[in-house]
Amino acid sequence: MRKMSAKLGFGALILGFTLAMGCASSDDSSVDNGNNNGTGNSTSALVVGHVTGQGGGSINVGLGGSAAVSAAVNVRLSAVIAGKLTVVATAKVDANGSFALSLPANLDLAACGNVLIVESLDVNANVIGSSILEIDASLSIAANARIHAAPITTESSIEAKALIDLLINAKVDVKLAVQLAAELHACVDVNLVAQVVASLNAGADVNAVIHAVAQASLLAQTAQLEAIANAKASLDLNALIKAQIKAAAELNAFLDANVSLDATAALELAAKVNVTARANLDACIKAALDVDVSLDVAAKAKIIADAKAQAGLVFNVALGSALKSVVGVEILAKVNAELKAKVDAEVKIAANAQIKAAIDQLVIDLQSKGCDPKVIQAVIDAGAKLQLDIKAAVSIEAIADLQAKFAVDLEANLKAKLGLVGALLDLVLDVVAHIGVDLQARLQLCLNVGVDVHADVEAAIRAIAAIQAKLDQGISVDIKAEIRACLQAVIQADLTINTKCSSGGGSCGGGCGTKLRAPEYSLVP
């Protein structure tokens, strides 16, 4: 069993990443047709699959699309060997887009990182679409076994091109291919496909866009390992890779079996599959964390959730800052909106927990003093309504107004309708007043957190832009520390929310008497 800490995993990732000479093209110049025509022998396994017309890409830039089936003539299976995409098998594509490739029996899959690339070609041998194929080299593949490749779509083509960019242009160690492929499967969804297509339609260069996706996925995968390392957890990397290959194989078989769906059904399925790919990655990380006996189920779940959130945040910030277009601005705006939503959600959870605790204690105190049950029920009902109102609140500022209304309405109800007077009324009003002060402090704290998060994201954009510029310039220095600092700038935004807003409270630093005001969330790349 290959067991190592996530920090070592991070080191392995970056050590396998020697910087490339800029945003190199991912065209056929990197393909070695070699002497191996890949015909294999009569006992070879078969790689079966389909070219489809799914996605809004264009065959002219190798991203499939509606013309992909009619344009497809041949298909080839390639492996990254000695830094080049080497063809190991070829076959014809039939009129329906289906194909069957013989997997060479003597192919060293381990040396290829357990990953192959399936590419469809037009009559001039131009790549018009592609997909990633993960195969476990440690398994005995039966003669004439059928291995399903992912259907070739615009989405699969973006993933395959990005992986090629990392393994060949950026020279990432091929041993990391499966992990990077899993990250790409999780990050490249129908929304990203739409963003890529929009960028290309706006005149962006396809290689620059693919390079941006590739870099973002690399940084996201690294951030994921960093999050696990920050939790001081250990990963079984062999278990992680095996689980990722198995998950990919099962998903490929499912997709290949449903390749004949119409366009609308295919789009709906793609959205569901994107969720499955993300869930698969989480499940694979959980399997790899099982080696760490110090972690219970809840601890693993939190590590996975934090890793996912931080990797997703890094991916979007990296991609948004790399795409110098309206699309990039939109991605960064979405990042800010999601972070603001997270701050608001944490405010509501923390505020309601605070209110519930105060109301519960008040009820106990009233019961101990023999208070009328009708009064107690009125207090319970008012507290429950306030919590529901807070849960539905559209903004942090609205929560303060809801609390003020709660105080006024409860006092009026207790006095006018229930006739409560004296010490018991004073007790209730005192608790209500304290709820107001504590809640105001909570809201002010979380608004300050919102400002901090905004600053963290702006810092992250600057840091990632600097890293990306250095990567593209091909600076041949060890920049592990810079990459880690760059990732921490992004991760800090998420950690700020988790550690401050959800557990703070107390003094509001002199802001309790001022009107609450939300921070402005506006970014430019």
Side-chain angles (χ1 to χ4, degrees), residues 47-48 77-78 112-119 129-135 147-153 155-167 177-186 188 217 244-245 248-249 251-252 255:
V47 174
V48 298
L77 192 63
S78 302
C112 307
N114 297 285
V115 167
L116 302 173
I117 302 294
V118 182
E119 297 174 305
S130 50
S131 67
I132 300 168
L133 176 63
E134 297 95 330
I135 303 178
I147 301 170
H148 292 273
I152 294 177
T153 65
E155 183 173 326
S156 74
S157 300
I158 293 170
E159 294 172 1
K161 278 181 168 288
L163 185 61
I164 292 170
D165 182 85
L166 290 170
L167 298 179
V178 169
Q179 296 174 60
L180 289 169
E183 192 66 42
L184 284 163
H185 294 325
V188 180
S217 66
Q244 288 172 335
I245 293 174
L251 191 56
N252 288 350
L255 290 172

Side-chain angles (χ1 to χ4, degrees), residues 228-240:
I228 296 170
N230 288 340
K232 296 181 170 52
S234 294
L235 281 174
D236 180 343
L237 292 183
N238 279 339
L240 178 62

Side-chain angles (χ1 to χ4, degrees), residues 17-72:
F17 178 31
T18 54
L19 301 177
M21 293 303 292
C23 180
S25 170
S26 56
D27 61 18
D28 287 351
S29 62
S30 63
V31 177
D32 181 4
N33 288 304
N35 296 319
N36 182 359
N37 63 14
T39 56
N41 55 46
S42 61
T43 61
S44 295
L46 287 178
V47 174
V48 298
H50 293 83
V51 179
T52 79
Q54 296 172 16
S58 169
I59 59 173
N60 296 327
V61 292
L63 294 182
S66 59
V69 177
S70 59

